């Protein structure tokens, strides 16, 4: 066990993760802890390293250095730990000729040891009307619902949701946010990335701000609001970014 | 800079986690079968794969109508098969890889080993293409009741060679797709590979043979044939057809040097290596890739 990673119900954690693609350094010593029963928002502009961080956590991208831990155990380079993670990628491109039912069945057969109620999942995400229709003829919003159903098909301890409400209509978006709140109450550790900060207001407990592959801020939303004096998450992050840019500019001038 | 744990520690953690995922019966879940089944459903419904089967079927039917026998129809299909099978597999394989890339990432985010996932994807690509090829060649012979012993033997060889070419070029397409993130460049590389193997290679060999005609070339020519799966496929088929006119330069050398039986065995072994090589490269690249 790594003692500091066991603190405060940390489920999945990244510890000093570095990743470069050629000469481009994408993640530079990133440290992140996803805690049980909390939603952590990873924020940052395009190119800040959010997606790469998600992929490192999932083992899709191999870190040059650093470790990924689950419940304090190092899982870097292994496969089995992903049975405890549900992943919702941004704008998934499902096979055109498969139906949502076939995709869910495939996912179920990749985790045969885990109990799944397929019909309940179909009902929960309201995909019954098109569950046997080819995904190639489904709308973007319908596919995004299937994407959410895949991520939450099992009962994972950790959820990684990349822009989860992108492409959803307001009703589906609200339903998904309710589901995230429900999953948080059930004790799941949830990571959400989004560039629409208003989407995350009221949903997020902790914030990690990435800039140029470095963690510029890590803490609770309440602490961020207190630090910046702003009530909304969007304004608080904007204030934080202004401060960061000002300090960078000051550093460069010096 | 922080580093990972020591290998001993990491190994212990891996063992614990991998044990914990075993099914109650202790049986390893068949990831390959699950992914293959889904791929089969996806690709077998693909309109281009259906078109491939229909085009081959119409060509076989037309040649049967003109030639009047199964052997003649299959003989006439020789060069078409040698060009079309690698071309369709190359283009479809690489285009399909890029189209399915995001879904592949979603599959990789599941608790599955990359090697197993790759085999599921690979078999799910190759088997429907082989099935389409087999249907296109076989159905006209079946409904014309032209399946005499000679035709069946030749058809079996065609199906075997077609399957081998599909398996080889399918693996090459996945290898190039994994190695090359740029879709256009990947497609260009795969088309270049097809052009080199199916069209340019024999011309280069003939040119070299002419340029070095004063030298003993039989042994180098045998190696030259082994270096190209399309040449090997052509030789395997033509040795059976016993038609020198269709052999090509390297095939003729092979027939003269080794004769029918050993020549066929060498061709089969060569084709097996031409499947194993790209498969090995593709699996290795897939396991190491950052998605």
């Amino acid at each position: 066990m790594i003692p500091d990673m066991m603190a405060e119900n940390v489920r999945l954690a990244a510890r000093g993760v570095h990743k470069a693609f050629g000469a481009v350094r994408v993640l530079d010593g990133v440290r992140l802890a996803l805690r049980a029963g909390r939603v952590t928002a990873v924020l940052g502009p395009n190119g800040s390293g959010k997606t790469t961080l998600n992929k490192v956590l999932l083992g899709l991208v191999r870190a040059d250095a650093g470790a990924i831990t689950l419940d304090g155990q190092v899982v870097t380079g292994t496969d089995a730990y992903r049975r405890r993670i549900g992943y919702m990628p941004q704008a998934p491109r499902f096979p055109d000729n498969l139906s949502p039912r076939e995709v869910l069945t495939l996912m179920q057969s990749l985790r045969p040891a885990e109990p799944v109620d397929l019909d309940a999942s179909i009902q929960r995400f309201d995909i019954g009307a098109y569950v046997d229709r080819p995904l190639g003829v489904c709308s973007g919003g319908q596919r995004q619902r299937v994407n959410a159903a895949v991520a939450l098909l099992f009962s994972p301890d950790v959820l990684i949701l990349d822009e989860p409400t992108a492409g959803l209509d307001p009703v589906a978006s609200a339903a998904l946010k309710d589901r995230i709140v429900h999953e948080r109450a059930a004790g799941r550790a949830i990571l959400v990335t989004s560039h629409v900060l208003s989407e995350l207001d009221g949903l997020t407990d902790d914030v990690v701000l990435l800039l140029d592959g470095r963690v510029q801020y890590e803490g609770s939303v309440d602490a961020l609001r207190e630090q910046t004096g702003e009530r909304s998450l969007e304004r608080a992050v904007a204030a934080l970014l202004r401060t960061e840019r000002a300090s960078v500019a000051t550093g460069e001038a010096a | 800079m922080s580093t990972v744990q020591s290998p001993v520690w990491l190994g212990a953690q891996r063992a614990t986690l991998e044990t914990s995922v075993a099914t109650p019966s202790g049986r390893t879940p068949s990831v390959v079968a699950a992914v293959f089944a889904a791929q089969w459903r996806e690709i077998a419904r693909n309109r281009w794969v259906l078109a491939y089967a229909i085009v081959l079927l119409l060509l076989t039917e037309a040649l049967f109508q003109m030639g009047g026998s199964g052997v003649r129809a299959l003989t006439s299909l020789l060069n078409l098969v040698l060009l079309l099978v690698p071309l369709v597999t190359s283009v479809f394989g690489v285009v399909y890889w890029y189209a399915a890339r995001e879904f592949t990432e979603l599959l990789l985010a599941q608790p599955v080993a990359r090697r197993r996932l790759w085999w599921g994807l690979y078999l799910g690509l190759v088997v429907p293409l082989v099935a389409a090829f087999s249907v296109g060649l076989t159905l006209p012979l079946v409904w014309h009741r032209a399946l005499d012993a000679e035709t069946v033997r030749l058809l079996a060889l065609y199906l075997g060679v077609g399957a081998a070419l599909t398996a080889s070029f399918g693996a090459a397409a996945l290898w190039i797709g994994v190695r090359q993130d740029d879709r256009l460049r990947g497609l260009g590389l795969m088309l270049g590979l097809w052009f080199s193997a199916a069209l340019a290679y024999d011309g280069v060999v003939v040119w070299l043979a002419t340029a070095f005609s004063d030298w003993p070339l039989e042994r180098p020519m045998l190696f030259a044939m082994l270096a190209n799966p399309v040449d090997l496929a052509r030789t395997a088929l033509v040795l059976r057809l016993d038609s020198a006119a269709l052999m090509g330069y390297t095939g003729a050398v092979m027939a003269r040097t080794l004769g029918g039986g050993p020549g066929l065995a060498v061709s089969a072994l060569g084709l097996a290596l031409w499947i194993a090589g790209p498969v090995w490269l593709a699996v290795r690249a897939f396991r190491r890739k950052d998605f």
Side-chain angles (χ1 to χ4, degrees):
Chain A
M1 298 284 177
I2 299 171
D4 59 337
M5 289 298 170
M6 282 304 291
E8 299 176 62
N9 294 325
V10 171
R11 285 272 177 268
L12 190 66
R15 194 166 181 253
V17 169
H18 291 256
K19 180 66 189 178
F21 294 110
V24 181
R25 187 178 288 182
V26 182
L27 297 176
D28 190 2
V30 170
R31 186 185 169 95
L32 169 85
L34 304 180
R35 293 175 174 81
R38 291 184 78 81
V39 176
T40 303
V42 175
L43 309 175
N46 289 339
S48 58
K50 301 189 296 290
T51 299
T52 303
L53 177 59
N54 280 352
K55 290 183 172 184
V56 167
L57 290 170
L58 287 160
L60 271 65
V61 168
R62 320 245 160 148
D64 298 330
I68 304 302
T69 64
L70 183 67
D71 289 342
Q73 296 184 341
V74 175
V75 294
T76 317
T78 65
D79 302 312
Y81 78 98
R82 288 194 289 266
R83 76 190 168 88
R84 293 180 57 194
I85 300 178
Y87 174 49
M88 183 174 173
Q90 182 183 355
R93 188 160 174 196
F94 291 112
D96 284 346
N97 298 315
L98 293 187
S99 66
R101 188 190 298 281
E102 287 170 329
V103 168
L104 292 169
T105 305
L106 168 62
M107 295 302 166
Q108 188 180 11
S109 54
L110 294 179
R111 304 187 188 196
E114 297 174 51
V116 170
D117 187 344
L118 212 59
D119 291 331
S121 191
I122 289 166
Q123 201 172 6
R124 190 183 306 142
F125 290 93
D126 196 20
I127 55 180
Y130 53 93
V131 74
D132 292 311
R133 201 182 291 167
L135 277 151
V137 299
C138 293
S139 70
Q142 288 172 332
R143 275 178 292 203
Q144 189 70 339
R145 286 190 206 183
V146 176
N147 193 17
V150 167
L152 292 159
L153 184 60
F154 308 95
S155 298
D157 294 325
V158 179
L159 282 168
I160 296 178
L161 313 174
D162 195 354
E163 304 274 357
T165 54
L168 290 179
D169 59 61
V171 175
S173 176
L176 182 58
K177 283 193 222 168
D178 289 346
R179 173 52 51 183
I180 293 172
V181 170
H182 175 83
E183 297 297 332
R184 173 175 62 186
R188 319 240 183 276
I190 303 171
L191 183 155
V192 183
T193 58
S194 177
H195 65 274
V196 185
L197 298 186
S198 56
E199 288 282 316
L200 301 174
D201 234 341
L203 193 69
T204 308
D205 302 298
D206 300 310
V207 171
V208 172
L209 179 63
L210 278 181
L211 278 178
D212 299 325
R214 287 173 176 240
V215 175
Q216 297 294 339
Y217 178 86
E218 182 186 15
S220 71
V221 172
D222 292 340
L224 177 63
R225 284 180 176 140
E226 196 173 315
Q227 184 181 326
T228 58
E230 298 285 356
R231 288 301 306 155
S232 81
L233 180 62
E234 192 170 24
R235 286 180 178 279
V237 170
L240 189 68
L241 281 170
R242 277 196 297 273
T243 312
E244 290 296 333
R245 281 177 187 149
S247 64
V248 169
T250 310
E252 281 170 358
Chain B
M1 188 179 286
S2 154
T3 55
V4 295
Q5 301 295 308
S6 72
V8 174
W9 162 255
L10 191 57
Q13 298 303 332
R14 284 179 183 170
T16 309
L17 286 158
E18 280 166 11
T19 306
S20 64
V21 83
T23 57
S25 64
R27 196 166 55 88
T28 309
S30 180
V31 171
V32 178
V35 175
F36 166 72
Q39 284 276 99
W40 168 268
R41 281 193 285 272
E42 165 68 8
I43 293 182
R45 294 168 186 163
N46 185 288
R47 74 181 80 160
W48 293 108
V49 175
L50 294 175
Y52 176 45
I54 290 168
V55 165
L56 281 169
L57 190 145
L58 292 175
L59 283 169
T60 310
E61 172 65 18
L63 289 168
F64 191 90
Q65 295 286 352
M66 286 189 277
S69 82
V71 171
R72 282 189 183 177
L74 289 173
T75 305
S76 305
L77 276 171
L78 176 79
N79 281 320
L80 194 78
V81 165
L82 293 175
L83 288 176
L84 198 64
V85 170
L87 177 63
V88 168
T89 308
S90 298
V91 173
F92 187 82
V94 85
V95 167
Y96 187 77
W97 164 261
Y98 289 123
R101 200 187 139 127
E102 284 90 348
F103 189 62
T104 304
E105 286 182 18
L106 185 58
L107 294 177
L108 282 164
Q110 309 307 315
V112 296
R114 286 192 177 199
R115 183 194 295 268
R116 289 174 188 221
L117 179 56
W118 186 89
W119 276 106
L121 294 171
Y122 173 64
L123 293 174
L125 168 70
V126 166
V127 174
L129 288 175
V130 171
F133 172 74
S134 304
V135 165
L137 248 64
T138 308
L139 273 189
L141 301 179
V142 171
W143 70 53
H144 286 293
R145 296 180 184 173
L147 292 171
D148 56 277
E150 180 56 23
T151 305
V152 168
R153 274 197 291 273
L154 190 57
L155 177 65
L157 189 60
Y158 264 78
L159 297 184
V161 163
L165 284 176
T166 306
S168 179
F169 279 84
L174 292 187
W175 177 55
I176 285 177
V178 170
R179 291 298 305 270
Q180 182 55 252
D181 285 335
D182 186 301
R183 291 165 195 236
L184 275 179
R185 196 173 289 177
L187 183 59
L189 283 170
M190 200 58 221
L191 283 173
L193 185 67
W194 167 79
F195 180 81
S196 306
L199 294 174
Y201 190 84
D202 231 29
V204 172
V205 168
V206 170
W207 176 75
L208 285 173
T210 310
F212 296 96
S213 57
D214 295 339
W215 298 71
L217 288 176
E218 296 215 335
R219 216 173 267 271
M221 282 303 117
L222 276 180
F223 284 110
M225 189 200 67
L226 289 170
N228 181 2
V230 178
D231 251 21
L232 282 166
R234 180 189 289 116
T235 304
L237 290 173
V238 172
L239 284 174
R240 181 81 211 167
L241 292 168
D242 202 21
S243 172
L246 293 168
M247 252 173 211
Y249 190 87
T250 54
V253 171
M254 170 84 129
R256 200 166 62 234
T257 311
L258 295 176
L264 204 59
V266 169
S267 299
L269 182 66
L271 279 172
L273 291 173
W274 268 107
I275 297 169
V279 162
W280 181 75
L281 286 171
V283 171
R284 200 172 73 129
F286 190 74
R287 291 182 68 194
R288 293 177 174 187
K289 176 147 183 86
D290 281 335
F291 280 86

